[in-house]
């Protein structure tokens, strides 16, 4: 008998064993998880064999549609598990696949975190993490566009304009996933009305249409507090880390050169 790293014993390998049974026994001995047997619960528990697979880039979320398969990276960085936007790209060889809908189902409705990676001048400058207000259509739409579940994504979109640069109430606009010129970004959900907060604080994430812009998926991130006693309406999230990255983007010579290099959501562990 052979002992695995978990202390369990595995049957010895015999020459008469089939190839598949030999592979299963090798996987038992090494602690490797057989392909097609990884579950979302395994991902949530993040035991050492699963951790190794994620760190090696061998766990991806997939979605099948009429045009084929899309896949999304899953990474582990600084103790946080990240799900990136779905893309039409080859699934890595020997990858363990999970249904994207099941992975998104891990999200905590009461505390959903989304992220935008901003870049300019040929490099990624940092990650902006946003805590979304639960049970609001704008927050749900934001998740859809960070994960690409409906086919559209904020990935490779640009920041469009800024307001009040260097003054109180400074803010930037982004989120045009269609034309990247500020004229697109149609809403993904039929009704965006909901119970939203008001805020005059830097880091507020709000709808552009709440400020007189088009009713769309475009969003606004405030980078300086208001000091006029007024508040912005239709706030559906707050930046919890990376506001310095947005402020650095504001100071770039051309705001329209700032790109959402990647995006996604933070998965709870």
């Amino acid at each position: 008998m052979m002992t695995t790293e978990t202390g369990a014993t595995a049957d010895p390998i015999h020459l008469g064993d089939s190839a598949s049974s030999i592979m299963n026994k090798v996987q038992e001995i090494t602690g490797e998880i057989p392909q097609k047997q990884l579950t979302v619960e395994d991902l949530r528990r993040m035991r050492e064999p699963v951790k190794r697979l994620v760190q090696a880039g061998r766990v991806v979320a997939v979605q099948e549609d009429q045009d084929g398969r899309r896949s999304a990276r899953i990474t582990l960085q600084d103790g946080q598990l990240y799900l990136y936007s779905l893309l039409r790209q080859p699934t890595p060889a020997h990858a363990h696949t999970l249904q994207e809908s099941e992975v998104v189902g891990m999200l905590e409705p009461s505390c959903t975190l989304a992220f935008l990676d901003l870049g300019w001048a040929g490099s990624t400058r940092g990650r902006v993490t946003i805590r979304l207000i639960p049970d609001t259509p704008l927050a749900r739409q934001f998740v859809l566009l960070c994960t690409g579940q409906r086919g559209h994504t904020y990935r490779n979109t640009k920041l469009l304009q800024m307001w009040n640069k260097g003054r109180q109430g400074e803010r930037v606009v982004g989120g045009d996933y269609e034309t990247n010129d500020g004229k697109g970004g149609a809403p993904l959900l039929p009704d965006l009305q909901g119970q939203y907060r008001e805020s005059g604080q830097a880091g507020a994430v709000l709808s552009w249409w709440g400020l007189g812009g088009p009713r769309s998926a475009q969003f606004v991130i405030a980078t300086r507090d208001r000091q006029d006693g007024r508040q912005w309406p239709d706030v559906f999230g707050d930046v919890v880390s990376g506001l310095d990255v947005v402020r650095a983007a504001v100071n770039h010579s051309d705001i329209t050169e700032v790109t959402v290099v990647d995006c996604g959501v933070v998965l709870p562990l």
Side-chain angles (χ1 to χ4, degrees), residues 170-205:
E170 178 186 81
R171 56 200 183 274
V172 298
V173 182
D176 181 353
Y177 65 85
E178 291 178 306
T179 59
N180 250 339
D181 60 4
K183 298 178 181 178
L188 295 188
L189 300 178
D191 183 6
L192 297 177
Q193 298 293 337
Q195 297 296 317
Y196 298 107
R197 281 184 24 228
E198 293 186 344
S199 175
Q201 302 296 309
V205 182

PDB file of all heavy atoms in Angstrom, residues 170-205:
ATOM      1  N   GLU A 170     -14.215  66.817  -8.382  1.00  0.00           N
ATOM      2  CA  GLU A 170     -13.535  66.207  -9.546  1.00  0.00           C
ATOM      3  C   GLU A 170     -13.998  64.762  -9.732  1.00  0.00           C
ATOM      4  O   GLU A 170     -14.154  64.012  -8.765  1.00  0.00           O
ATOM      5  CB  GLU A 170     -12.028  66.231  -9.298  1.00  0.00           C
ATOM      6  CG  GLU A 170     -11.190  65.602 -10.390  1.00  0.00           C
ATOM      7  CD  GLU A 170      -9.743  65.556  -9.966  1.00  0.00           C
ATOM      8  OE1 GLU A 170      -9.385  64.616  -9.196  1.00  0.00           O
ATOM      9  OE2 GLU A 170      -8.971  66.440 -10.369  1.00  0.00           O
ATOM     10  N   ARG A 171     -14.231  64.374 -10.988  1.00  0.00           N
ATOM     11  CA  ARG A 171     -14.717  63.031 -11.266  1.00  0.00           C
ATOM     12  C   ARG A 171     -14.405  62.660 -12.718  1.00  0.00           C
ATOM     13  O   ARG A 171     -14.211  63.529 -13.560  1.00  0.00           O
ATOM     14  CB  ARG A 171     -16.225  62.927 -11.002  1.00  0.00           C
ATOM     15  CG  ARG A 171     -17.071  63.926 -11.762  1.00  0.00           C
ATOM     16  CD  ARG A 171     -18.442  64.100 -11.101  1.00  0.00           C
ATOM     17  NE  ARG A 171     -19.316  65.005 -11.846  1.00  0.00           N
ATOM     18  CZ  ARG A 171     -19.325  66.332 -11.696  1.00  0.00           C
ATOM     19  NH1 ARG A 171     -18.490  66.906 -10.837  1.00  0.00           N
ATOM     20  NH2 ARG A 171     -20.163  67.086 -12.403  1.00  0.00           N
ATOM     21  N   VAL A 172     -14.378  61.337 -12.985  1.00  0.00           N
ATOM     22  CA  VAL A 172     -14.115  60.840 -14.331  1.00  0.00           C
ATOM     23  C   VAL A 172     -15.296  59.981 -14.773  1.00  0.00           C
ATOM     24  O   VAL A 172     -16.029  59.422 -13.952  1.00  0.00           O
ATOM     25  CB  VAL A 172     -12.812  60.001 -14.396  1.00  0.00           C
ATOM     26  CG1 VAL A 172     -11.617  60.854 -14.030  1.00  0.00           C
ATOM     27  CG2 VAL A 172     -12.895  58.774 -13.483  1.00  0.00           C
ATOM     28  N   VAL A 173     -15.463  59.878 -16.084  1.00  0.00           N
ATOM     29  CA  VAL A 173     -16.543  59.099 -16.682  1.00  0.00           C
ATOM     30  C   VAL A 173     -15.936  57.985 -17.526  1.00  0.00           C
ATOM     31  O   VAL A 173     -14.953  58.196 -18.235  1.00  0.00           O
ATOM     32  CB  VAL A 173     -17.441  59.985 -17.576  1.00  0.00           C
ATOM     33  CG1 VAL A 173     -18.599  59.171 -18.144  1.00  0.00           C
ATOM     34  CG2 VAL A 173     -17.954  61.198 -16.801  1.00  0.00           C
ATOM     35  N   GLY A 174     -16.515  56.790 -17.446  1.00  0.00           N
ATOM     36  CA  GLY A 174     -16.077  55.670 -18.276  1.00  0.00           C
ATOM     37  C   GLY A 174     -17.250  54.748 -18.552  1.00  0.00           C
ATOM     38  O   GLY A 174     -18.400  55.057 -18.233  1.00  0.00           O
ATOM     39  N   GLY A 175     -16.962  53.608 -19.165  1.00  0.00           N
ATOM     40  CA  GLY A 175     -17.987  52.577 -19.292  1.00  0.00           C
ATOM     41  C   GLY A 175     -18.680  52.458 -20.618  1.00  0.00           C
ATOM     42  O   GLY A 175     -19.672  51.732 -20.723  1.00  0.00           O
ATOM     43  N   ASP A 176     -18.189  53.148 -21.669  1.00  0.00           N
ATOM     44  CA  ASP A 176     -18.796  52.986 -22.991  1.00  0.00           C
ATOM     45  C   ASP A 176     -18.209  51.737 -23.637  1.00  0.00           C
ATOM     46  O   ASP A 176     -17.160  51.779 -24.263  1.00  0.00           O
ATOM     47  CB  ASP A 176     -18.521  54.216 -23.853  1.00  0.00           C
ATOM     48  CG  ASP A 176     -19.136  54.123 -25.243  1.00  0.00           C
ATOM     49  OD1 ASP A 176     -19.666  53.057 -25.584  1.00  0.00           O
ATOM     50  OD2 ASP A 176     -19.058  55.114 -25.991  1.00  0.00           O
ATOM     51  N   TYR A 177     -18.897  50.609 -23.488  1.00  0.00           N
ATOM     52  CA  TYR A 177     -18.387  49.332 -23.989  1.00  0.00           C
ATOM     53  C   TYR A 177     -18.677  49.125 -25.483  1.00  0.00           C
ATOM     54  O   TYR A 177     -18.214  48.138 -26.066  1.00  0.00           O
ATOM     55  CB  TYR A 177     -18.984  48.163 -23.188  1.00  0.00           C
ATOM     56  CG  TYR A 177     -20.481  48.010 -23.348  1.00  0.00           C
ATOM     57  CD1 TYR A 177     -21.010  47.295 -24.415  1.00  0.00           C
ATOM     58  CD2 TYR A 177     -21.359  48.587 -22.445  1.00  0.00           C
ATOM     59  CE1 TYR A 177     -22.385  47.153 -24.577  1.00  0.00           C
ATOM     60  CE2 TYR A 177     -22.730  48.461 -22.598  1.00  0.00           C
ATOM     61  CZ  TYR A 177     -23.243  47.741 -23.661  1.00  0.00           C
ATOM     62  OH  TYR A 177     -24.589  47.614 -23.829  1.00  0.00           O
ATOM     63  N   GLU A 178     -19.423  50.032 -26.087  1.00  0.00           N
ATOM     64  CA  GLU A 178     -19.829  49.855 -27.490  1.00  0.00           C
ATOM     65  C   GLU A 178     -18.970  50.660 -28.465  1.00  0.00           C
ATOM     66  O   GLU A 178     -18.353  50.102 -29.378  1.00  0.00           O
ATOM     67  CB  GLU A 178     -21.299  50.257 -27.671  1.00  0.00           C
ATOM     68  CG  GLU A 178     -22.271  49.303 -27.003  1.00  0.00           C
ATOM     69  CD  GLU A 178     -23.698  49.771 -27.183  1.00  0.00           C
ATOM     70  OE1 GLU A 178     -24.006  50.927 -26.840  1.00  0.00           O
ATOM     71  OE2 GLU A 178     -24.508  48.966 -27.662  1.00  0.00           O
ATOM     72  N   THR A 179     -18.922  51.964 -28.294  1.00  0.00           N
ATOM     73  CA  THR A 179     -18.244  52.807 -29.282  1.00  0.00           C
ATOM     74  C   THR A 179     -16.979  53.464 -28.749  1.00  0.00           C
ATOM     75  O   THR A 179     -16.182  53.986 -29.531  1.00  0.00           O
ATOM     76  CB  THR A 179     -19.193  53.912 -29.786  1.00  0.00           C
ATOM     77  OG1 THR A 179     -19.615  54.711 -28.665  1.00  0.00           O
ATOM     78  CG2 THR A 179     -20.413  53.306 -30.448  1.00  0.00           C
ATOM     79  N   ASN A 180     -16.788  53.467 -27.414  1.00  0.00           N
ATOM     80  CA  ASN A 180     -15.600  54.043 -26.789  1.00  0.00           C
ATOM     81  C   ASN A 180     -15.430  55.535 -27.075  1.00  0.00           C
ATOM     82  O   ASN A 180     -14.329  56.067 -26.997  1.00  0.00           O
ATOM     83  CB  ASN A 180     -14.338  53.282 -27.231  1.00  0.00           C
ATOM     84  CG  ASN A 180     -13.747  52.461 -26.100  1.00  0.00           C
ATOM     85  OD1 ASN A 180     -13.998  52.730 -24.920  1.00  0.00           O
ATOM     86  ND2 ASN A 180     -12.955  51.466 -26.430  1.00  0.00           N
ATOM     87  N   ASP A 181     -16.509  56.205 -27.438  1.00  0.00           N
ATOM     88  CA  ASP A 181     -16.425  57.641 -27.665  1.00  0.00           C
ATOM     89  C   ASP A 181     -17.428  58.419 -26.815  1.00  0.00           C
ATOM     90  O   ASP A 181     -17.609  59.624 -26.997  1.00  0.00           O
ATOM     91  CB  ASP A 181     -16.636  57.963 -29.149  1.00  0.00           C
ATOM     92  CG  ASP A 181     -18.007  57.506 -29.664  1.00  0.00           C
ATOM     93  OD1 ASP A 181     -18.825  57.017 -28.855  1.00  0.00           O
ATOM     94  OD2 ASP A 181     -18.250  57.624 -30.883  1.00  0.00           O
ATOM     95  N   GLY A 182     -18.077  57.712 -25.897  1.00  0.00           N
ATOM     96  CA  GLY A 182     -19.038  58.360 -25.022  1.00  0.00           C
ATOM     97  C   GLY A 182     -20.451  58.379 -25.550  1.00  0.00           C
ATOM     98  O   GLY A 182     -21.364  58.841 -24.862  1.00  0.00           O
ATOM     99  N   LYS A 183     -20.654  57.876 -26.761  1.00  0.00           N
ATOM    100  CA  LYS A 183     -21.992  57.880 -27.357  1.00  0.00           C
ATOM    101  C   LYS A 183     -22.683  56.530 -27.252  1.00  0.00           C
ATOM    102  O   LYS A 183     -23.827  56.377 -27.687  1.00  0.00           O
ATOM    103  CB  LYS A 183     -21.895  58.307 -28.823  1.00  0.00           C
ATOM    104  CG  LYS A 183     -21.352  59.713 -29.008  1.00  0.00           C
ATOM    105  CD  LYS A 183     -21.223  60.070 -30.480  1.00  0.00           C
ATOM    106  CE  LYS A 183     -20.643  61.476 -30.658  1.00  0.00           C
ATOM    107  NZ  LYS A 183     -20.466  61.819 -32.094  1.00  0.00           N
ATOM    108  N   GLY A 184     -21.987  55.526 -26.715  1.00  0.00           N
ATOM    109  CA  GLY A 184     -22.555  54.188 -26.619  1.00  0.00           C
ATOM    110  C   GLY A 184     -22.643  53.721 -25.182  1.00  0.00           C
ATOM    111  O   GLY A 184     -22.592  54.510 -24.245  1.00  0.00           O
ATOM    112  N   GLY A 185     -22.750  52.405 -25.008  1.00  0.00           N
ATOM    113  CA  GLY A 185     -22.874  51.847 -23.663  1.00  0.00           C
ATOM    114  C   GLY A 185     -24.312  51.666 -23.254  1.00  0.00           C
ATOM    115  O   GLY A 185     -24.710  52.032 -22.143  1.00  0.00           O
ATOM    116  N   ALA A 186     -25.116  51.100 -24.148  1.00  0.00           N
ATOM    117  CA  ALA A 186     -26.539  50.906 -23.854  1.00  0.00           C
ATOM    118  C   ALA A 186     -26.723  50.070 -22.595  1.00  0.00           C
ATOM    119  O   ALA A 186     -25.914  49.184 -22.310  1.00  0.00           O
ATOM    120  CB  ALA A 186     -27.228  50.223 -25.039  1.00  0.00           C
ATOM    121  N   PRO A 187     -27.772  50.322 -21.815  1.00  0.00           N
ATOM    122  CA  PRO A 187     -27.995  49.522 -20.605  1.00  0.00           C
ATOM    123  C   PRO A 187     -28.241  48.060 -20.943  1.00  0.00           C
ATOM    124  O   PRO A 187     -28.851  47.748 -21.968  1.00  0.00           O
ATOM    125  CB  PRO A 187     -29.229  50.168 -19.969  1.00  0.00           C
ATOM    126  CG  PRO A 187     -29.905  50.902 -21.080  1.00  0.00           C
ATOM    127  CD  PRO A 187     -28.828  51.337 -22.005  1.00  0.00           C
ATOM    128  N   LEU A 188     -27.771  47.181 -20.076  1.00  0.00           N
ATOM    129  CA  LEU A 188     -27.983  45.745 -20.266  1.00  0.00           C
ATOM    130  C   LEU A 188     -29.269  45.278 -19.612  1.00  0.00           C
ATOM    131  O   LEU A 188     -29.787  44.216 -19.960  1.00  0.00           O
ATOM    132  CB  LEU A 188     -26.809  44.950 -19.696  1.00  0.00           C
ATOM    133  CG  LEU A 188     -25.448  45.119 -20.362  1.00  0.00           C
ATOM    134  CD1 LEU A 188     -24.466  44.115 -19.775  1.00  0.00           C
ATOM    135  CD2 LEU A 188     -25.522  44.970 -21.865  1.00  0.00           C
ATOM    136  N   LEU A 189     -29.760  46.025 -18.654  1.00  0.00           N
ATOM    137  CA  LEU A 189     -30.974  45.657 -17.935  1.00  0.00           C
ATOM    138  C   LEU A 189     -32.103  46.602 -18.343  1.00  0.00           C
ATOM    139  O   LEU A 189     -31.877  47.792 -18.596  1.00  0.00           O
ATOM    140  CB  LEU A 189     -30.746  45.714 -16.426  1.00  0.00           C
ATOM    141  CG  LEU A 189     -29.647  44.778 -15.889  1.00  0.00           C
ATOM    142  CD1 LEU A 189     -29.479  44.960 -14.383  1.00  0.00           C
ATOM    143  CD2 LEU A 189     -29.956  43.330 -16.218  1.00  0.00           C
ATOM    144  N   PRO A 190     -33.330  46.089 -18.402  1.00  0.00           N
ATOM    145  CA  PRO A 190     -34.440  46.909 -18.904  1.00  0.00           C
ATOM    146  C   PRO A 190     -34.853  48.046 -17.984  1.00  0.00           C
ATOM    147  O   PRO A 190     -35.395  49.049 -18.434  1.00  0.00           O
ATOM    148  CB  PRO A 190     -35.571  45.891 -19.080  1.00  0.00           C
ATOM    149  CG  PRO A 190     -35.240  44.785 -18.117  1.00  0.00           C
ATOM    150  CD  PRO A 190     -33.754  44.705 -18.108  1.00  0.00           C
ATOM    151  N   ASP A 191     -34.605  47.901 -16.687  1.00  0.00           N
ATOM    152  CA  ASP A 191     -35.046  48.916 -15.728  1.00  0.00           C
ATOM    153  C   ASP A 191     -33.930  49.141 -14.715  1.00  0.00           C
ATOM    154  O   ASP A 191     -33.606  48.238 -13.938  1.00  0.00           O
ATOM    155  CB  ASP A 191     -36.329  48.467 -15.023  1.00  0.00           C
ATOM    156  CG  ASP A 191     -36.870  49.525 -14.072  1.00  0.00           C
ATOM    157  OD1 ASP A 191     -36.311  50.644 -14.042  1.00  0.00           O
ATOM    158  OD2 ASP A 191     -37.837  49.236 -13.352  1.00  0.00           O
ATOM    159  N   LEU A 192     -33.355  50.330 -14.726  1.00  0.00           N
ATOM    160  CA  LEU A 192     -32.254  50.644 -13.819  1.00  0.00           C
ATOM    161  C   LEU A 192     -32.701  51.436 -12.601  1.00  0.00           C
ATOM    162  O   LEU A 192     -31.877  51.849 -11.793  1.00  0.00           O
ATOM    163  CB  LEU A 192     -31.165  51.422 -14.571  1.00  0.00           C
ATOM    164  CG  LEU A 192     -30.480  50.675 -15.716  1.00  0.00           C
ATOM    165  CD1 LEU A 192     -29.479  51.576 -16.432  1.00  0.00           C
ATOM    166  CD2 LEU A 192     -29.780  49.419 -15.198  1.00  0.00           C
ATOM    167  N   GLN A 193     -34.003  51.642 -12.465  1.00  0.00           N
ATOM    168  CA  GLN A 193     -34.504  52.356 -11.293  1.00  0.00           C
ATOM    169  C   GLN A 193     -34.298  51.502 -10.045  1.00  0.00           C
ATOM    170  O   GLN A 193     -34.406  50.279 -10.081  1.00  0.00           O
ATOM    171  CB  GLN A 193     -35.991  52.675 -11.465  1.00  0.00           C
ATOM    172  CG  GLN A 193     -36.298  53.576 -12.644  1.00  0.00           C
ATOM    173  CD  GLN A 193     -35.745  54.980 -12.465  1.00  0.00           C
ATOM    174  OE1 GLN A 193     -35.509  55.428 -11.339  1.00  0.00           O
ATOM    175  NE2 GLN A 193     -35.522  55.667 -13.561  1.00  0.00           N
ATOM    176  N   GLY A 194     -33.986  52.158  -8.939  1.00  0.00           N
ATOM    177  CA  GLY A 194     -33.781  51.422  -7.699  1.00  0.00           C
ATOM    178  C   GLY A 194     -33.568  52.373  -6.543  1.00  0.00           C
ATOM    179  O   GLY A 194     -33.622  53.594  -6.694  1.00  0.00           O
ATOM    180  N   GLN A 195     -33.318  51.803  -5.378  1.00  0.00           N
ATOM    181  CA  GLN A 195     -33.057  52.582  -4.182  1.00  0.00           C
ATOM    182  C   GLN A 195     -31.545  52.790  -4.062  1.00  0.00           C
ATOM    183  O   GLN A 195     -30.811  51.905  -3.642  1.00  0.00           O
ATOM    184  CB  GLN A 195     -33.590  51.858  -2.941  1.00  0.00           C
ATOM    185  CG  GLN A 195     -35.093  51.669  -2.939  1.00  0.00           C
ATOM    186  CD  GLN A 195     -35.832  52.992  -2.886  1.00  0.00           C
ATOM    187  OE1 GLN A 195     -35.461  53.889  -2.127  1.00  0.00           O
ATOM    188  NE2 GLN A 195     -36.876  53.137  -3.681  1.00  0.00           N
ATOM    189  N   TYR A 196     -31.101  53.972  -4.461  1.00  0.00           N
ATOM    190  CA  TYR A 196     -29.676  54.274  -4.467  1.00  0.00           C
ATOM    191  C   TYR A 196     -29.330  55.288  -3.383  1.00  0.00           C
ATOM    192  O   TYR A 196     -30.191  56.004  -2.878  1.00  0.00           O
ATOM    193  CB  TYR A 196     -29.261  54.810  -5.840  1.00  0.00           C
ATOM    194  CG  TYR A 196     -29.468  53.811  -6.954  1.00  0.00           C
ATOM    195  CD1 TYR A 196     -30.502  53.983  -7.874  1.00  0.00           C
ATOM    196  CD2 TYR A 196     -28.661  52.694  -7.061  1.00  0.00           C
ATOM    197  CE1 TYR A 196     -30.699  53.057  -8.895  1.00  0.00           C
ATOM    198  CE2 TYR A 196     -28.857  51.762  -8.073  1.00  0.00           C
ATOM    199  CZ  TYR A 196     -29.877  51.947  -8.984  1.00  0.00           C
ATOM    200  OH  TYR A 196     -30.089  51.022  -9.977  1.00  0.00           O
ATOM    201  N   ARG A 197     -28.054  55.327  -3.061  1.00  0.00           N
ATOM    202  CA  ARG A 197     -27.563  56.285  -2.072  1.00  0.00           C
ATOM    203  C   ARG A 197     -27.241  57.605  -2.746  1.00  0.00           C
ATOM    204  O   ARG A 197     -27.103  57.694  -3.966  1.00  0.00           O
ATOM    205  CB  ARG A 197     -26.295  55.739  -1.402  1.00  0.00           C
ATOM    206  CG  ARG A 197     -26.543  54.717  -0.320  1.00  0.00           C
ATOM    207  CD  ARG A 197     -25.247  54.307   0.349  1.00  0.00           C
ATOM    208  NE  ARG A 197     -24.204  55.304   0.237  1.00  0.00           N
ATOM    209  CZ  ARG A 197     -22.948  55.032  -0.153  1.00  0.00           C
ATOM    210  NH1 ARG A 197     -22.587  53.821  -0.488  1.00  0.00           N
ATOM    211  NH2 ARG A 197     -22.047  56.002  -0.213  1.00  0.00           N
ATOM    212  N   GLU A 198     -27.048  58.610  -1.927  1.00  0.00           N
ATOM    213  CA  GLU A 198     -26.456  59.868  -2.350  1.00  0.00           C
ATOM    214  C   GLU A 198     -25.141  60.034  -1.607  1.00  0.00           C
ATOM    215  O   GLU A 198     -24.982  59.531  -0.488  1.00  0.00           O
ATOM    216  CB  GLU A 198     -27.381  61.051  -2.049  1.00  0.00           C
ATOM    217  CG  GLU A 198     -28.654  61.055  -2.862  1.00  0.00           C
ATOM    218  CD  GLU A 198     -29.467  62.309  -2.631  1.00  0.00           C
ATOM    219  OE1 GLU A 198     -29.197  63.019  -1.630  1.00  0.00           O
ATOM    220  OE2 GLU A 198     -30.365  62.598  -3.429  1.00  0.00           O
ATOM    221  N   SER A 199     -24.184  60.696  -2.228  1.00  0.00           N
ATOM    222  CA  SER A 199     -22.889  60.890  -1.577  1.00  0.00           C
ATOM    223  C   SER A 199     -22.192  62.100  -2.188  1.00  0.00           C
ATOM    224  O   SER A 199     -22.357  62.392  -3.376  1.00  0.00           O
ATOM    225  CB  SER A 199     -22.009  59.651  -1.754  1.00  0.00           C
ATOM    226  OG  SER A 199     -20.699  59.877  -1.231  1.00  0.00           O
ATOM    227  N   GLY A 200     -21.410  62.767  -1.370  1.00  0.00           N
ATOM    228  CA  GLY A 200     -20.563  63.848  -1.861  1.00  0.00           C
ATOM    229  C   GLY A 200     -19.103  63.546  -1.613  1.00  0.00           C
ATOM    230  O   GLY A 200     -18.252  64.445  -1.647  1.00  0.00           O
ATOM    231  N   GLN A 201     -18.789  62.251  -1.373  1.00  0.00           N
ATOM    232  CA  GLN A 201     -17.446  61.848  -0.985  1.00  0.00           C
ATOM    233  C   GLN A 201     -16.647  61.310  -2.165  1.00  0.00           C
ATOM    234  O   GLN A 201     -17.188  60.665  -3.068  1.00  0.00           O
ATOM    235  CB  GLN A 201     -17.519  60.761   0.097  1.00  0.00           C
ATOM    236  CG  GLN A 201     -18.263  61.167   1.353  1.00  0.00           C
ATOM    237  CD  GLN A 201     -17.571  62.303   2.078  1.00  0.00           C
ATOM    238  OE1 GLN A 201     -16.370  62.233   2.350  1.00  0.00           O
ATOM    239  NE2 GLN A 201     -18.313  63.364   2.375  1.00  0.00           N
ATOM    240  N   ALA A 202     -15.348  61.565  -2.140  1.00  0.00           N
ATOM    241  CA  ALA A 202     -14.450  60.955  -3.111  1.00  0.00           C
ATOM    242  C   ALA A 202     -14.547  59.441  -2.997  1.00  0.00           C
ATOM    243  O   ALA A 202     -14.681  58.897  -1.896  1.00  0.00           O
ATOM    244  CB  ALA A 202     -13.017  61.411  -2.858  1.00  0.00           C
ATOM    245  N   GLY A 203     -14.487  58.768  -4.134  1.00  0.00           N
ATOM    246  CA  GLY A 203     -14.601  57.310  -4.159  1.00  0.00           C
ATOM    247  C   GLY A 203     -15.995  56.830  -4.488  1.00  0.00           C
ATOM    248  O   GLY A 203     -16.186  55.632  -4.750  1.00  0.00           O
ATOM    249  N   ALA A 204     -16.977  57.727  -4.495  1.00  0.00           N
ATOM    250  CA  ALA A 204     -18.333  57.326  -4.866  1.00  0.00           C
ATOM    251  C   ALA A 204     -18.351  56.900  -6.334  1.00  0.00           C
ATOM    252  O   ALA A 204     -17.735  57.531  -7.190  1.00  0.00           O
ATOM    253  CB  ALA A 204     -19.304  58.470  -4.636  1.00  0.00           C
ATOM    254  N   VAL A 205     -19.078  55.815  -6.614  1.00  0.00           N
ATOM    255  CA  VAL A 205     -19.261  55.323  -7.983  1.00  0.00           C
ATOM    256  C   VAL A 205     -20.743  55.455  -8.293  1.00  0.00           C
ATOM    257  O   VAL A 205     -21.586  54.913  -7.578  1.00  0.00           O
ATOM    258  CB  VAL A 205     -18.800  53.863  -8.133  1.00  0.00           C
ATOM    259  CG1 VAL A 205     -18.952  53.393  -9.588  1.00  0.00           C
ATOM    260  CG2 VAL A 205     -17.348  53.715  -7.690  1.00  0.00           C
TER     261      VAL A 205
END
